[in-house]
Amino acid sequence: MPENSRAGFVALIGAPNAGKSTLLNRFVGTKVSIVTHKVQTTRSRVLGVVIEDDAQIVFVDTPGIFAPKRRLDRAMVRAAWDGAKDADVVVLMVDAMVGLKDEVKAIIQNLQENNRKAVLALNKIDKVKREELLTLTAELDESGVFTDIFMISALNGDGASDLLKLLCEKIPQSPWLFPEDQITDMPLRMMAAEVTREKLFINVHQELPYELAVETETWEEFKNGSVKIEQTVYVRRESQRSIILGKDGQRIKKIGADAREELTEMFGRKVHLFLYVKVRERWEENSNFYMQWGLEFNA
């Protein structure tokens, strides 16, 4: 550990699909948070640990903040604000393609009411004309919430290194909080379940709503270094189960193959993955899932 070490927590907050997970994975250098084109992909708080020179930044990737309607929605939004409340620095990510929509306005209002400052990361700038970016930046800056403003592309990395440099300067002097070789606090069982959930989202496209959950039921390690993982995919209706299985079970086979390939690369060893799909009508009322995800059941 460096003599003049720095360490702190940086919360990434924003509306759903603002690019928080993409930016976290870029900073960490590997995938620790799943990414899909669908909104509300991140359900729980995900930590990603980044070392830059003498600084160790613990990034907190939070669920997207939106107007909650269901129990799971409320738990996700609570987790996001809890992550921001406890952080040394808050980064508000705004999708430049979407602009200053109601969800972003609500987040800014919450920051104002709690007298909380933030760093603005205006994302996806490569998709928007310069004139529109400047207008949007001026509108956001009028809020008085932001200490610094960065225009970035989390996907291709434009502006990301400058943002990281500033965050290193903003965190306090402190011993490092995690071992040098640790990049996340997520258990392997949960990481495996998240990878499978990502592949489900990607493969079922618009056919399946968000009411699905993946649970790693068994994890068995063998002497040759390989691991056997059995997971259950929970859905609410039999029709959803049929969608995931696909004709003659072809879709679930592809989902399993995609997940197995990524997990093998991620864990650096052979993975034997077995998926089962079960119908549980009100799985989102099961407090065990919330405990696994680090969410408050009664948020």
Side-chain angles (χ1 to χ4, degrees), residues 56-80:
Q56 185 185 69
I57 300 180
V58 183
F59 283 99
V60 185
D61 180 22
T62 63
I65 298 173
F66 57 103
K69 297 178 181 178
R70 305 162 301 170
R71 180 188 294 275
L72 181 57
D73 295 345
R74 293 193 297 272
M76 288 163 59
V77 172
R78 170 69 68 83

mmCIF file of all heavy atoms in Angstrom, residues 56-80:
data_model
loop_
_atom_site.group_PDB
_atom_site.id
_atom_site.type_symbol
_atom_site.label_atom_id
_atom_site.label_comp_id
_atom_site.label_asym_id
_atom_site.label_seq_id
_atom_site.Cartn_x
_atom_site.Cartn_y
_atom_site.Cartn_z
ATOM 1 N N GLN A 56 -7.485 4.057 -4.012
ATOM 2 C CA GLN A 56 -8.376 2.915 -4.207
ATOM 3 C C GLN A 56 -9.817 3.432 -4.127
ATOM 4 O O GLN A 56 -10.272 3.877 -3.072
ATOM 5 C CB GLN A 56 -8.160 1.834 -3.152
ATOM 6 C CG GLN A 56 -9.006 0.582 -3.404
ATOM 7 C CD GLN A 56 -8.880 -0.451 -2.302
ATOM 8 O OE1 GLN A 56 -9.343 -0.227 -1.182
ATOM 9 N NE2 GLN A 56 -8.252 -1.588 -2.612
ATOM 10 N N ILE A 57 -10.498 3.383 -5.263
ATOM 11 C CA ILE A 57 -11.892 3.835 -5.310
ATOM 12 C C ILE A 57 -12.813 2.622 -5.288
ATOM 13 O O ILE A 57 -12.653 1.692 -6.079
ATOM 14 C CB ILE A 57 -12.168 4.669 -6.572
ATOM 15 C CG1 ILE A 57 -11.280 5.905 -6.628
ATOM 16 C CG2 ILE A 57 -13.636 5.098 -6.609
ATOM 17 C CD1 ILE A 57 -11.512 6.761 -7.853
ATOM 18 N N VAL A 58 -13.765 2.640 -4.378
ATOM 19 C CA VAL A 58 -14.779 1.598 -4.322
ATOM 20 C C VAL A 58 -16.037 2.173 -4.959
ATOM 21 O O VAL A 58 -16.745 2.984 -4.357
ATOM 22 C CB VAL A 58 -15.049 1.146 -2.880
ATOM 23 C CG1 VAL A 58 -16.056 -0.003 -2.875
ATOM 24 C CG2 VAL A 58 -13.758 0.741 -2.195
ATOM 25 N N PHE A 59 -16.277 1.776 -6.212
ATOM 26 C CA PHE A 59 -17.450 2.264 -6.927
ATOM 27 C C PHE A 59 -18.677 1.466 -6.507
ATOM 28 O O PHE A 59 -18.630 0.237 -6.370
ATOM 29 C CB PHE A 59 -17.258 2.133 -8.440
ATOM 30 C CG PHE A 59 -16.361 3.189 -9.023
ATOM 31 C CD1 PHE A 59 -15.026 2.920 -9.280
ATOM 32 C CD2 PHE A 59 -16.853 4.451 -9.314
ATOM 33 C CE1 PHE A 59 -14.195 3.879 -9.817
ATOM 34 C CE2 PHE A 59 -16.030 5.429 -9.850
ATOM 35 C CZ PHE A 59 -14.699 5.149 -10.104
ATOM 36 N N VAL A 60 -19.767 2.166 -6.291
ATOM 37 C CA VAL A 60 -21.035 1.533 -5.952
ATOM 38 C C VAL A 60 -21.978 1.737 -7.134
ATOM 39 O O VAL A 60 -22.454 2.848 -7.393
ATOM 40 C CB VAL A 60 -21.650 2.158 -4.676
ATOM 41 C CG1 VAL A 60 -22.904 1.391 -4.269
ATOM 42 C CG2 VAL A 60 -20.634 2.174 -3.546
ATOM 43 N N ASP A 61 -22.215 0.651 -7.886
ATOM 44 C CA ASP A 61 -23.155 0.713 -9.001
ATOM 45 C C ASP A 61 -24.546 0.442 -8.440
ATOM 46 O O ASP A 61 -24.806 -0.622 -7.884
ATOM 47 C CB ASP A 61 -22.795 -0.340 -10.055
ATOM 48 C CG ASP A 61 -23.750 -0.320 -11.240
ATOM 49 O OD1 ASP A 61 -24.403 0.726 -11.458
ATOM 50 O OD2 ASP A 61 -23.861 -1.335 -11.934
ATOM 51 N N THR A 62 -25.431 1.417 -8.550
ATOM 52 C CA THR A 62 -26.748 1.307 -7.931
ATOM 53 C C THR A 62 -27.828 1.044 -8.988
ATOM 54 O O THR A 62 -27.643 1.344 -10.167
ATOM 55 C CB THR A 62 -27.110 2.610 -7.189
ATOM 56 O OG1 THR A 62 -27.193 3.685 -8.141
ATOM 57 C CG2 THR A 62 -26.064 2.936 -6.130
ATOM 58 N N PRO A 63 -28.963 0.489 -8.557
ATOM 59 C CA PRO A 63 -30.089 0.348 -9.493
ATOM 60 C C PRO A 63 -30.523 1.717 -10.002
ATOM 61 O O PRO A 63 -30.353 2.735 -9.326
ATOM 62 C CB PRO A 63 -31.188 -0.287 -8.626
ATOM 63 C CG PRO A 63 -30.460 -0.954 -7.504
ATOM 64 C CD PRO A 63 -29.269 -0.084 -7.232
ATOM 65 N N GLY A 64 -31.118 1.735 -11.193
ATOM 66 C CA GLY A 64 -31.633 2.982 -11.735
ATOM 67 C C GLY A 64 -32.737 3.543 -10.856
ATOM 68 O O GLY A 64 -33.525 2.801 -10.265
ATOM 69 N N ILE A 65 -32.781 4.869 -10.748
ATOM 70 C CA ILE A 65 -33.781 5.530 -9.910
ATOM 71 C C ILE A 65 -34.960 5.948 -10.779
ATOM 72 O O ILE A 65 -34.801 6.666 -11.770
ATOM 73 C CB ILE A 65 -33.170 6.748 -9.192
ATOM 74 C CG1 ILE A 65 -32.024 6.282 -8.272
ATOM 75 C CG2 ILE A 65 -34.225 7.492 -8.396
ATOM 76 C CD1 ILE A 65 -31.233 7.418 -7.644
ATOM 77 N N PHE A 66 -36.135 5.489 -10.416
ATOM 78 C CA PHE A 66 -37.343 5.774 -11.183
ATOM 79 C C PHE A 66 -38.513 5.812 -10.216
ATOM 80 O O PHE A 66 -38.344 5.613 -9.007
ATOM 81 C CB PHE A 66 -37.565 4.710 -12.265
ATOM 82 C CG PHE A 66 -37.653 3.300 -11.727
ATOM 83 C CD1 PHE A 66 -38.876 2.671 -11.596
ATOM 84 C CD2 PHE A 66 -36.509 2.616 -11.338
ATOM 85 C CE1 PHE A 66 -38.961 1.386 -11.094
ATOM 86 C CE2 PHE A 66 -36.584 1.323 -10.831
ATOM 87 C CZ PHE A 66 -37.815 0.711 -10.705
ATOM 88 N N ALA A 67 -39.713 6.088 -10.714
ATOM 89 C CA ALA A 67 -40.898 6.121 -9.857
ATOM 90 C C ALA A 67 -41.340 4.694 -9.566
ATOM 91 O O ALA A 67 -41.831 4.003 -10.464
ATOM 92 C CB ALA A 67 -42.017 6.904 -10.541
ATOM 93 N N PRO A 68 -41.174 4.217 -8.330
ATOM 94 C CA PRO A 68 -41.470 2.811 -8.031
ATOM 95 C C PRO A 68 -42.972 2.530 -7.962
ATOM 96 O O PRO A 68 -43.740 3.354 -7.486
ATOM 97 C CB PRO A 68 -40.808 2.611 -6.660
ATOM 98 C CG PRO A 68 -40.810 3.956 -6.035
ATOM 99 C CD PRO A 68 -40.654 4.937 -7.158
ATOM 100 N N LYS A 69 -43.341 1.347 -8.433
ATOM 101 C CA LYS A 69 -44.753 0.937 -8.407
ATOM 102 C C LYS A 69 -44.951 -0.342 -7.587
ATOM 103 O O LYS A 69 -46.002 -0.533 -6.994
ATOM 104 C CB LYS A 69 -45.257 0.712 -9.838
ATOM 105 C CG LYS A 69 -45.239 1.962 -10.699
ATOM 106 C CD LYS A 69 -45.711 1.662 -12.116
ATOM 107 C CE LYS A 69 -45.673 2.906 -12.976
ATOM 108 N NZ LYS A 69 -46.091 2.628 -14.389
ATOM 109 N N ARG A 70 -43.944 -1.223 -7.587
ATOM 110 C CA ARG A 70 -44.092 -2.510 -6.916
ATOM 111 C C ARG A 70 -43.072 -2.631 -5.794
ATOM 112 O O ARG A 70 -42.188 -1.798 -5.651
ATOM 113 C CB ARG A 70 -43.886 -3.652 -7.918
ATOM 114 C CG ARG A 70 -44.772 -3.597 -9.140
ATOM 115 C CD ARG A 70 -44.206 -4.484 -10.231
ATOM 116 N NE ARG A 70 -42.854 -4.065 -10.598
ATOM 117 C CZ ARG A 70 -42.050 -4.778 -11.382
ATOM 118 N NH1 ARG A 70 -42.457 -5.934 -11.853
ATOM 119 N NH2 ARG A 70 -40.838 -4.342 -11.665
ATOM 120 N N ARG A 71 -43.191 -3.708 -5.022
ATOM 121 C CA ARG A 71 -42.272 -3.938 -3.910
ATOM 122 C C ARG A 71 -40.818 -3.970 -4.380
ATOM 123 O O ARG A 71 -39.942 -3.343 -3.793
ATOM 124 C CB ARG A 71 -42.615 -5.250 -3.201
ATOM 125 C CG ARG A 71 -41.689 -5.547 -2.012
ATOM 126 C CD ARG A 71 -41.927 -6.934 -1.453
ATOM 127 N NE ARG A 71 -43.228 -7.078 -0.858
ATOM 128 C CZ ARG A 71 -43.525 -6.739 0.399
ATOM 129 N NH1 ARG A 71 -42.589 -6.210 1.173
ATOM 130 N NH2 ARG A 71 -44.730 -6.928 0.884
ATOM 131 N N LEU A 72 -40.558 -4.714 -5.460
ATOM 132 C CA LEU A 72 -39.191 -4.812 -5.967
ATOM 133 C C LEU A 72 -38.688 -3.451 -6.426
ATOM 134 O O LEU A 72 -37.533 -3.092 -6.192
ATOM 135 C CB LEU A 72 -39.119 -5.823 -7.109
ATOM 136 C CG LEU A 72 -37.738 -6.049 -7.732
ATOM 137 C CD1 LEU A 72 -36.720 -6.482 -6.687
ATOM 138 C CD2 LEU A 72 -37.819 -7.088 -8.856
ATOM 139 N N ASP A 73 -39.557 -2.674 -7.078
ATOM 140 C CA ASP A 73 -39.177 -1.325 -7.507
ATOM 141 C C ASP A 73 -38.742 -0.481 -6.307
ATOM 142 O O ASP A 73 -37.709 0.197 -6.335
ATOM 143 C CB ASP A 73 -40.353 -0.629 -8.200
ATOM 144 C CG ASP A 73 -40.772 -1.295 -9.492
ATOM 145 O OD1 ASP A 73 -39.995 -2.107 -10.008
ATOM 146 O OD2 ASP A 73 -41.878 -0.993 -9.979
ATOM 147 N N ARG A 74 -39.559 -0.510 -5.261
ATOM 148 C CA ARG A 74 -39.261 0.309 -4.071
ATOM 149 C C ARG A 74 -37.942 -0.105 -3.439
ATOM 150 O O ARG A 74 -37.158 0.740 -3.004
ATOM 151 C CB ARG A 74 -40.405 0.189 -3.054
ATOM 152 C CG ARG A 74 -41.721 0.810 -3.507
ATOM 153 C CD ARG A 74 -42.699 0.932 -2.354
ATOM 154 N NE ARG A 74 -43.078 -0.366 -1.817
ATOM 155 C CZ ARG A 74 -44.092 -1.096 -2.276
ATOM 156 N NH1 ARG A 74 -44.814 -0.662 -3.289
ATOM 157 N NH2 ARG A 74 -44.387 -2.257 -1.718
ATOM 158 N N ALA A 75 -37.699 -1.412 -3.397
ATOM 159 C CA ALA A 75 -36.453 -1.911 -2.798
ATOM 160 C C ALA A 75 -35.240 -1.474 -3.617
ATOM 161 O O ALA A 75 -34.193 -1.116 -3.063
ATOM 162 C CB ALA A 75 -36.505 -3.433 -2.690
ATOM 163 N N MET A 76 -35.369 -1.503 -4.939
ATOM 164 C CA MET A 76 -34.263 -1.104 -5.807
ATOM 165 C C MET A 76 -33.947 0.379 -5.657
ATOM 166 O O MET A 76 -32.777 0.781 -5.564
ATOM 167 C CB MET A 76 -34.607 -1.445 -7.266
ATOM 168 C CG MET A 76 -34.566 -2.926 -7.565
ATOM 169 S SD MET A 76 -35.436 -3.372 -9.098
ATOM 170 C CE MET A 76 -34.553 -2.416 -10.317
ATOM 171 N N VAL A 77 -34.989 1.216 -5.628
ATOM 172 C CA VAL A 77 -34.777 2.660 -5.501
ATOM 173 C C VAL A 77 -34.189 2.989 -4.131
ATOM 174 O O VAL A 77 -33.296 3.839 -4.012
ATOM 175 C CB VAL A 77 -36.100 3.424 -5.741
ATOM 176 C CG1 VAL A 77 -35.937 4.896 -5.408
ATOM 177 C CG2 VAL A 77 -36.535 3.259 -7.196
ATOM 178 N N ARG A 78 -34.663 2.295 -3.088
ATOM 179 C CA ARG A 78 -34.090 2.510 -1.755
ATOM 180 C C ARG A 78 -32.600 2.169 -1.751
ATOM 181 O O ARG A 78 -31.783 2.874 -1.152
ATOM 182 C CB ARG A 78 -34.840 1.645 -0.736
ATOM 183 C CG ARG A 78 -34.190 1.584 0.663
ATOM 184 C CD ARG A 78 -34.280 2.894 1.416
ATOM 185 N NE ARG A 78 -35.638 3.183 1.764
ATOM 186 C CZ ARG A 78 -36.270 2.686 2.848
ATOM 187 N NH1 ARG A 78 -35.648 1.870 3.674
ATOM 188 N NH2 ARG A 78 -37.518 3.027 3.101
ATOM 189 N N ALA A 79 -32.234 1.061 -2.395
ATOM 190 C CA ALA A 79 -30.827 0.654 -2.448
ATOM 191 C C ALA A 79 -29.981 1.711 -3.145
ATOM 192 O O ALA A 79 -28.837 1.980 -2.753
ATOM 193 C CB ALA A 79 -30.700 -0.683 -3.168
ATOM 194 N N ALA A 80 -30.543 2.314 -4.191
ATOM 195 C CA ALA A 80 -29.805 3.346 -4.922
ATOM 196 C C ALA A 80 -29.526 4.556 -4.036
ATOM 197 O O ALA A 80 -28.397 5.060 -3.969
ATOM 198 C CB ALA A 80 -30.581 3.759 -6.164
#
